[in-house]
Amino acid sequence: MMQGVGAIYLREMRLSKRRFKRAMAGMAVAPILYMIAFGTAMGEGARFDGHTYLEFLLPGLIAMTTMTQAYGIAIEINIARFYFHIFEEFQSAPISGAAFALGEILSGITRALGGVVIILAIGWAFGVTIHTGPWFWLAVLLNAFVFASIAVALAMLISSHGDQSLVNAFVITPMAFLGGTFFPLDGLPQWAQVLLHGLPLTHAAQAIRADAFGQPPQWIHFAVLAGLGVVGFILALKSVDRARD
Amino acid sequence: MIVIEDLRKAYGRTQALDGVSLEVGAGELFAYLGPNGAGKSTTIRILTGLTRLSSGRAWLGGADISADPIAAKRQCGVVMQHINLDGDLSVAENMDIHGRLFGMSAADRAERTAQLLDYVELSDRAKSLVNTLSGGMKRRVMIARALMHRPRILFLDEPTVGLDAEIRRRIWGLIKQIQSEGTTVFLTTHYIEEAEFLADRVAFLDQGRIRALDTPRALIAQVGKWAFDRLGPGGMVTEYFADRDAAQAAIAAVEDALTLRRVNLEDAFLTLTGKAVRP
């Protein structure tokens, strides 16, 4: 089992290392633009729970980046599967589907952690520092686990690269904007709040933001993320086995 | 070494494999010959765990591919028809990842990589990114990678498709060498001369069924020894003869200048399946 996990993980890390500069630039551009555009637009006057907008935004960007980087492995898996046919090399190797899924999920989590470090560095460059205690990192890890698991499951279930773009357009991008990243959900109508609390990113953003603001953790967020992570992981395991034609 | 019993695979209403049964002995070089869409790749994909079988059973080195797929996969190396290397990784890195997937130790991986790259004459390209290699080099890397974990069975799915004549012959030499070292080789091809030159036994596959299975010499003998081709009213007609004298007598009776030739495996395929091998 572990030999397979290690091989899959190491392959992804070697590829990431080779594409490090491109990947880092890709991770940094959007958050910098958000910081400049929204930070400037909102100015110093706007306060959220006693914090400036940039202080409010930074934890949201961390949640969003964790999601996009962890979920980003779906694209890598798709390229490997549909264009380079590398997935066949794993399918014909004596490793279980669980080993493949776990290796890919760990690589997604690693990418997400790299993204968090970059966002924290960007925040620091903008003069914004936040508290990053154990609950902050636990929320980041759970969020990454959820989206990396979903990424593996979807990458196995879809049948073309075009389908992947549809998932991005209709699920990931709306979630990035509506999951409590850029604005507090308190001001929304009750029905919208209920709806948006069905999104994992909403719970991740609130859990990360609470620790960033030095507030005590709310268990419900961690429980929801852990539950969704387990469901996503089971889906990933089942979908890897279904990927054989 | 390879046992297949009544293997069937359907894609919707299309029957890709329709009751294939065969056995391949240890150290044998077995060729699966047929046109595109005959079911050659489907057989290899099922045996190597890439495709689910609809019914039937198969064993690789005694391991049931359905009941114990991990044990079955340990027995074999596979070279697919298309290039499936990581283009952004080096040749050595591709080999290393394969070795890790098969649980090889670090020292064994390093030693085997050096040995195999020497074997396929690519030692000087170990650190090159795969994307920088030619098609023939990539094919040789795939063969080296498939041999990395010392498989008892090597599956080669159209190993020379799209390669020029010189590279093709070089790979034929490599395949013969692999067999001579004791590896069982299961080869699919639609190149007649490849099957005729390489294989100990050949199966003619057409529309998911084996139409004939024997040594190339025995298959050819079923048709005759000598032949000549002439243009008839309905197109090219080939006449087959058991001995040279009868063939020469027949040629003498025809007014056109015709050349007598030996019967080959393509004649056997054409006669026994009623179809041409090439698509």
Side-chain angles (χ1 to χ4, degrees):
Chain A
M1 170 82 171
M2 290 320 291
Q3 78 194 38
V5 176
I8 301 290
Y9 179 75
L10 188 77
R11 171 187 170 268
E12 291 289 354
M13 290 303 102
R14 281 180 178 168
L15 287 170
S16 297
K17 188 180 165 192
R18 199 134 281 153
R19 302 166 186 160
F20 181 70
K21 287 180 185 168
R22 273 180 290 165
M24 205 170 76
M27 283 184 202
V29 169
I32 289 173
L33 289 176
Y34 290 138
M35 295 287 278
I36 294 170
F38 292 117
T40 309
M42 300 300 278
E44 283 291 317
R47 309 295 289 183
F48 298 85
D49 291 335
H51 298 274
T52 66
Y53 182 68
L54 283 182
E55 286 169 345
F56 176 87
L57 179 63
L58 197 67
L61 287 180
I62 286 168
M64 188 177 82
T65 300
T66 311
M67 173 185 77
T68 53
Q69 289 306 315
Y71 184 76
I73 60 164
I75 295 162
E76 302 294 339
I77 295 171
N78 270 311
I79 292 170
R81 191 174 162 209
F82 295 123
Y83 292 108
F84 297 123
H85 305 284
I86 305 294
F87 187 55
E88 291 173 349
E89 166 78 351
F90 307 138
Q91 282 182 306
S92 60
I95 62 167
S96 62
F100 172 79
L102 208 54
E104 291 291 354
I105 289 168
L106 285 176
S107 81
I109 292 172
T110 307
R111 283 169 54 129
L113 291 174
V116 171
V117 171
I118 288 172
I119 299 297
L120 287 173
I122 291 169
W124 178 79
F126 277 81
V128 184
T129 51
I130 55 173
H131 177 255
T132 54
W135 297 114
F136 170 94
W137 290 109
L138 180 62
V140 163
L141 284 173
L142 283 173
N143 193 35
F145 178 60
V146 169
F147 284 101
S149 298
I150 291 171
V152 172
L154 284 177
M156 292 293 112
L157 292 174
I158 65 163
S159 55
S160 74
H161 200 54
D163 294 346
Q164 183 69 57
S165 303
L166 282 178
V167 176
N168 291 353
F170 287 99
V171 181
I172 299 301
T173 305
M175 196 166 355
F177 283 92
L178 299 173
T181 313
F182 295 101
F183 54 87
L185 302 183
D186 310 350
L188 296 175
Q190 190 62 31
W191 64 266
Q193 285 190 40
V194 171
L195 198 69
L196 294 179
H197 272 92
L199 304 176
L201 188 64
T202 306
H203 293 280
Q206 291 184 352
I208 291 168
R209 190 169 282 130
D211 192 73
F213 289 175
Q215 297 164 354
Q218 287 185 281
W219 300 107
I220 181 71
H221 301 314
F222 293 94
V224 169
L225 287 173
L228 289 172
V230 170
V231 171
F233 187 62
I234 291 169
L235 279 176
L237 295 183
K238 290 192 176 297
S239 61
V240 170
D241 191 48
R242 280 171 56 99
R244 288 195 300 163
D245 54 24
Chain B
M1 186 59 69
I2 302 171
V3 180
I4 301 174
E5 276 182 12
D6 199 24
L7 198 63
R8 291 170 197 271
K9 174 67 184 177
Y11 293 101
R13 289 183 179 180
T14 307
Q15 197 69 38
L17 284 181
D18 194 8
V20 167
S21 298
L22 58 86
E23 288 188 24
V24 180
E28 189 177 2
L29 204 160
F30 186 88
Y32 221 32
L33 185 67
N36 284 349
K40 304 187 298 292
S41 295
T42 302
T43 306
I44 283 194
R45 291 181 68 85
I46 289 173
L47 294 176
T48 55
L50 306 185
T51 294
R52 225 181 286 272
L53 53 79
S54 299
S55 67
R57 295 185 74 183
W59 294 262
L60 301 178
D64 187 321
I65 63 162
S66 299
D68 195 355
I70 300 281
K73 287 174 182 178
R74 284 197 189 284
Q75 312 281 332
C76 59
V78 55
V79 177
M80 299 308 290
Q81 190 178 142
H82 43 255
I83 303 295
N84 67 348
L85 297 163
D86 257 317
D88 284 339
L89 295 183
S90 71
V91 170
E93 283 173 328
N94 271 276
M95 307 270 291
D96 181 68
I97 295 290
H98 182 93
R100 287 172 186 270
L101 286 167
F102 281 81
M104 295 169 68
S105 70
D108 197 19
R109 290 197 306 272
E111 185 190 334
R112 191 74 177 145
T113 298
Q115 188 184 13
L116 285 167
L117 289 183
D118 184 47
Y119 188 63
V120 298
E121 299 172 40
L122 285 171
S123 296
D124 56 332
R125 304 305 295 265
K127 290 182 179 172
S128 301
L129 290 186
V130 164
N131 276 339
T132 64
L133 304 182
S134 68
M137 286 177 177
K138 285 177 184 169
R139 191 71 65 181
R140 280 185 280 153
V141 173
M142 284 173 67
I143 293 173
R145 184 183 65 176
L147 293 171
M148 183 80 180
H149 59 284
R150 302 177 182 85
R152 296 165 73 195
I153 305 165
L154 179 65
F155 288 103
L156 298 165
D157 191 7
E158 305 269 7
T160 62
V161 73
L163 300 177
D164 62 44
E166 189 205 333
I167 305 286
R168 178 176 301 163
R169 284 177 185 278
R170 202 165 169 182
I171 288 181
W172 286 0
L174 195 56
I175 293 169
K176 276 283 191 193
Q177 198 177 337
I178 290 164
Q179 185 207 9
S180 71
E181 288 165 8
T183 308
T184 304
V185 180
F186 188 106
L187 165 91
T188 78
T189 183
H190 64 262
Y191 293 124
I192 295 280
E193 63 278 20
E194 189 162 282
E196 196 166 347
F197 176 73
L198 291 173
D200 298 321
R201 285 192 305 148
V202 178
F204 290 165
L205 192 72
D206 181 43
Q207 293 183 318
R209 288 184 180 188
I210 292 179
R211 306 291 177 178
L213 193 164
D214 216 323
T215 62
R217 185 174 287 188
L219 289 167
I220 290 167
Q222 287 185 44
V223 178
K225 282 190 177 172
W226 297 91
F228 65 81
D229 309 300
R230 65 181 172 81
L231 199 59
M236 192 63 78
V237 178
T238 306
E239 294 188 26
Y240 300 105
F241 301 90
D243 62 79
R244 193 181 181 119
D245 292 343
Q248 279 176 332
I251 280 190
V254 182
E255 288 180 2
D256 301 334
L258 299 173
T259 309
L260 194 63
R261 64 172 176 81
R262 281 200 170 271
V263 172
N264 59 32
L265 201 58
E266 185 159 17
D267 295 306
F269 191 92
L270 205 62
T271 306
L272 297 171
T273 69
K275 290 181 178 174
V277 184
R278 292 177 200 280

